[in-house]
Amino acid sequence: MEGFKKGPWSKEEDAILLDWVAVNGPHNWSSIQSKGRLMRTGKSCRLRWVNKLRPGLKKGRKFSPAEEEMVVKLQGEIGNKWAHIAQFFPGRTDNDVKNFWSTRKKRLARNKRDPLSFKSGNETGMHGPELVVHPDLVHIYENPKDDQHQDKTFTFNHIMSPPYMNKFFDATSATPALTVPTSNLPQTKSPSTPFDNVMPHEQCLNGASGTLPISYLPNIIETEPSSAPFRCVVPHQQCLNATSATPILALPASNPPNTKSGPTAAPSNNVMPYQHSVNGTSAIPAIVPTADVPSIKSAPSSEPFNNLMPPIESPSWDRLFETELIFLEPKCCFLGCCRVCRVPPAFDDLTDDVLDSFDGPESSH
DNA sequence: AAGTAATGCAACCGCATACAT
DNA sequence: TATGTATGCGGTTGCATTACT
C-alpha cells in the first residue's frame, strides 16, 4: 500500500489515535485513515493501540520468575498460542509474551538448555516471588492423567483462570492483582463465545479488599462447544462465608462494563451466571447446564448486562461433575479457584469445619 | 573508553477467520 | 454462495539500549 507511514509512532500520532479511540472506541481502525486523521493502516493503528496505548498495560516490568514459569508451562501445554497465553497475564500483550519467549529461547539455546525447562530465580540469577501452588493444583497439574478427562489442555485451563493467576503472581506486590480497568476489558468477539465477554461483578465481598473493582470470567473451557453459554466458575465456600452472605451476582447498574466501544457483537445478548444462594453450608456453583439456560432476551447495548440468570435449582457439584460441566472432581473445584476472589484458599486456612461443611464427594477424592 | 554481543521490544508481514454484502 | 473487508494472530525483522570484554 502506498502513502501509509511506517515505523515508530510519534507522540502526535499517539495522541490522535488515543483521541480517536476515546470518541469512537477501539475498532473501525481503517476509518482513522480513511477520514484523514492518520496516515497509518488500520492494522498499524490497532497494533499500536493493543500493544502500547491500551490502558492497563504493564510497561517496563520484566517477567518475574513466577511469570516465566507459567509461560513455560502454558507454552508446553498449548504451544505458541501467544494471545491465549497472554490472557493469563493481565497487562501483558501477546507481543510481550512472544518477545519474552523468543528472547528466552535464544538465551537458553546459547546455554544449550531446553526452553521448556524452568529454573527458579535463584538458579537463573533472577529474583522474585516463588510460584506457590496449592497442593491440589500441583497434583492435578502434574498428574493430568488423574483427571477423568485426560485432555491436559483442558485440565490446565480449567484450573488456571487468568484472574486467579494474576492475583497469584502479584502476591507480593502492593498493586491489587485483580484490578482490571474497564477500559482494558477483553473485547467481545462474537455471540458464539459469549463468555469471552467481560462483566463486572460484585466486589470481593465487602472488605476482603476495597481495591478489587472488577473481575471477569476466564476463558476456562476451550474445548467446550461454542454454543454452551456458561463456563465453569468455581466459588469456594469459605470465601463466600468469610465476610458477607451477600450473593455475588449483583451487577451494579452504575457500573456497567465498557461496551460502547466494543465490536458490533455487543454483549447485550449475554447473561451472566450468578451465585443465587449462599447459605453458608453448601457450595453452589454458578454454573447452569446448557439445557437449563432460558432463552436470552436482547437488551439495548447500553445495558449489556441487565439480563440476569434466574436462580438455578441447587445443582450439586456432583451433578455438575456427572454432567461434565465441571471436569475436575468436585472437591478439587471447591478447593481450586474461587469465583469471588479468584484465589484458591491457602490449604492451611481450610478449617475442619469448612471441609466438613463441604457437601461434595469427598470419598471419591 | 571503545567495540562487540546480547537483549528488549516495537512494528511489520502474511495468513486465517469472522462478518457484511 | 461468493466476495470483499476488518480484525486478530503468529512469525519475523530491525533498531535502540544495555551488558560485557
Side-chain angles (χ1 to χ4, degrees):
Chain A
M1 283 194 253
E2 290 184 22
F4 291 113
K5 185 180 175 185
K6 290 185 178 183
W9 281 66
S10 67
K11 288 181 180 178
E12 291 74 21
E13 288 177 307
D14 281 348
I16 292 170
L17 183 56
L18 283 166
D19 182 58
W20 170 272
V21 172
V23 174
N24 299 282
H27 50 93
N28 293 332
W29 300 109
S30 297
S31 301
I32 305 174
Q33 182 275 326
S34 64
K35 293 183 184 303
R37 299 292 304 277
L38 279 172
M39 289 308 292
R40 297 271 186 175
T41 65
K43 286 180 75 168
S44 181
C45 292
R46 177 190 158 272
L47 202 67
R48 182 66 179 172
W49 166 259
V50 168
N51 286 340
K52 293 301 295 181
L53 302 180
R54 185 163 49 105
L57 295 177
K58 286 184 180 177
K59 295 174 183 173
R61 289 176 59 181
K62 290 187 175 182
F63 278 70
S64 69
E67 286 178 300
E68 178 181 4
E69 179 173 3
M70 189 48 58
V71 169
V72 171
K73 285 183 177 178
L74 286 166
Q75 201 280 339
E77 289 282 340
I78 62 179
N80 297 355
K81 304 293 183 183
W82 305 120
H84 189 172
I85 292 172
Q87 292 179 2
F88 290 77
F89 303 90
R92 305 282 192 196
T93 69
D94 57 345
N95 218 29
D96 290 337
V97 179
K98 189 166 55 179
N99 283 334
F100 171 73
W101 180 260
S102 175
T103 298
R104 183 178 180 277
K105 194 174 169 184
K106 285 184 211 167
R107 187 179 74 230
L108 296 184
R110 211 172 34 255
N111 297 338
K112 295 184 170 58
R113 292 248 309 276
D114 178 1
L116 287 176
S117 71
F118 174 81
K119 285 200 168 187
S120 71
N122 287 340
E123 290 171 287
T124 60
M126 294 180 288
H127 301 283
E130 289 294 319
L131 194 66
V132 181
V133 180
H134 187 288
D136 274 7
L137 301 187
V138 173
H139 177 79
I140 293 164
Y141 179 78
E142 292 181 346
N143 302 278
K145 299 299 182 189
D146 284 3
D147 193 278
Q148 180 170 327
H149 302 264
Q150 297 185 356
D151 183 326
K152 289 176 64 181
T153 298
F154 173 78
T155 301
F156 185 86
N157 287 341
H158 179 81
I159 301 168
M160 301 296 187
S161 70
Y164 153 63
M165 293 311 303
N166 188 31
K167 174 73 176 180
F168 192 66
F169 286 137
D170 282 349
T172 61
S173 164
T175 304
L178 287 180
T179 299
V180 181
T182 44
S183 55
N184 191 31
L185 297 175
Q187 294 180 12
T188 304
K189 287 181 180 176
S190 74
S192 65
T193 55
F195 282 95
D196 285 340
N197 295 326
V198 176
M199 60 176 154
H201 74 62
E202 189 64 295
Q203 306 308 317
C204 194
L205 294 182
N206 301 340
S209 170
T211 54
L212 301 174
I214 285 180
S215 187
Y216 58 91
L217 285 179
N219 287 329
I220 294 178
I221 303 174
E222 290 303 317
T223 55
E224 188 178 12
S226 60
S227 59
F230 292 111
R231 298 178 184 221
C232 181
V233 285
V234 186
H236 56 65
Q237 188 61 46
Q238 71 277 22
C239 179
L240 296 174
N241 289 341
T243 56
S244 170
T246 304
I248 58 178
L249 124 86
L251 172 68
S254 59
N255 190 25
N258 181 10
T259 55
K260 69 177 181 180
S261 62
T264 54
S268 56
N269 286 341
N270 299 319
V271 295
M272 59 179 174
Y274 68 85
Q275 181 76 25
H276 79 96
S277 176
V278 181
N279 58 20
T281 58
S282 65
I284 301 174
I287 295 176
V288 182
T290 304
D292 294 349
V293 176
S295 60
I296 299 169
K297 68 177 182 180
S298 297
S301 59
S302 61
E303 298 177 324
F305 285 111
N306 285 344
N307 293 333
L308 301 178
M309 285 299 299
I312 54 178
E313 299 300 325
S314 301
S316 68
W317 287 105
D318 305 57
R319 178 190 166 206
L320 292 162
F321 183 64
E322 289 163 5
T323 56
E324 300 188 349
L325 280 158
I326 57 176
F327 288 78
L328 296 175
E329 290 188 53
K331 180 67 174 298
C332 297
C333 284
F334 175 66
L335 295 176
C337 181
C338 176
R339 176 173 186 264
V340 180
C341 66
R342 307 294 184 182
V343 179
F347 200 72
D348 292 339
D349 290 344
L350 294 174
T351 64
D352 290 342
D353 289 342
V354 170
L355 292 171
D356 289 345
S357 71
F358 174 58
D359 189 25
E362 183 135 9
S363 59
S364 66
H365 186 55

